[in-house]
Amino acid sequence: MQWYHFIVPSFAVLALLGGWKTPRSVLWVALIMASYVISVAYIFLPRWDWIPWWPPAPGITFLCDAAAFLVVRELHKERWEMLGLGSLLLLSATIDLIQTWALVIGVPPALSSAVYGSILEMINVAAFLLIFGVGMMDRLNAGHGISRSAHRVVGGLSDFAHSTSKQKKPLTKW
């Protein structure tokens, strides 16, 4: 592993510290980190000669990110979870799918591994910053040391973020 592989776990710790009391934030951090660890472990997995074909790494990353998106879609309860985390995970899965398509078919041209990895790491960092931001907003909404007008703004944002999501969960109807 390289030094830059520790950026995402560092932001995961920050998200855990900031969003500790936010409902399901620990679940989302663990889910994103599991997807990240599986993807990075597959990239550095030794390739054995007796296995004739290995799936491309972006394909495995796509499976991980798509599974994480499905978990968020089925277990979310508040708007920030689906609109924020769900959108970021869907974006990540879409980039993975395009990169896999580019490597297998050749159209569109594949991104370099550095650019591709940087884009995915920025999306993961954005997801952790979202979790951290919602946790900090919850703490500020408790009214600790902010003005009344700021409390109104933060309270309104917090009420919107924590409002019940009205998006359908098709897999949970079974």
Side-chain angles (χ1 to χ4, degrees):
M1 291 184 63
Q2 301 293 325
W3 65 269
Y4 52 84
H5 289 121
F6 295 103
I7 293 172
V8 172
S10 301
F11 276 93
V13 170
L14 180 70
L16 281 175
L17 293 175
W20 185 254
K21 293 188 178 185
T22 302
R24 290 172 307 286
S25 66
V26 174
L27 170 67
W28 303 139
V29 170
L31 181 71
I32 294 168
M33 277 307 299
S35 174
Y36 178 76
V37 167
I38 291 169
S39 299
V40 171
Y42 180 78
I43 289 169
F44 290 103
L45 185 71
R47 305 291 191 247
W48 300 299
D49 293 336
W50 54 273
I51 297 178
W53 182 78
W54 288 84
I60 301 301
T61 305
F62 166 75
L63 292 176
C64 293
D65 288 343
F69 168 74
L70 288 175
V71 169
V72 169
R73 188 184 77 174
E74 295 303 316
L75 297 181
H76 79 279
K77 293 183 181 173
E78 298 173 346
R79 283 188 180 177
W80 75 271
E81 295 167 323
M82 190 59 196
L83 291 177
L85 286 178
S87 298
L88 289 170
L89 289 171
L90 189 59
L91 175 64
S92 182
T94 303
I95 291 169
D96 295 330
L97 188 60
I98 292 170
Q99 182 75 355
T100 302
W101 188 265
L103 289 174
V104 172
I105 304 298
V107 175
L111 297 170
S112 70
S113 60
V115 171
Y116 169 69
S118 298
I119 291 171
L120 294 184
E121 290 206 8
M122 286 189 287
I123 292 171
N124 285 333
V125 166
F128 290 136
L129 288 175
L130 175 69
I131 295 168
F132 175 78
V134 169
M136 288 292 102
M137 187 172 56
D138 290 346
R139 290 184 184 177
L140 287 175
N141 194 28
H144 300 299
I146 61 173
S147 67
R148 191 179 313 198
S149 61
H151 185 64
R152 264 195 312 256
V153 171
V154 170
L157 288 172
S158 180
D159 291 343
F160 176 76
H162 290 296
S163 62
T164 304
S165 177
K166 295 173 180 60
Q167 294 197 351
K168 295 181 179 176
K169 302 175 184 179
L171 296 179
T172 56
K173 290 184 178 180
W174 294 348

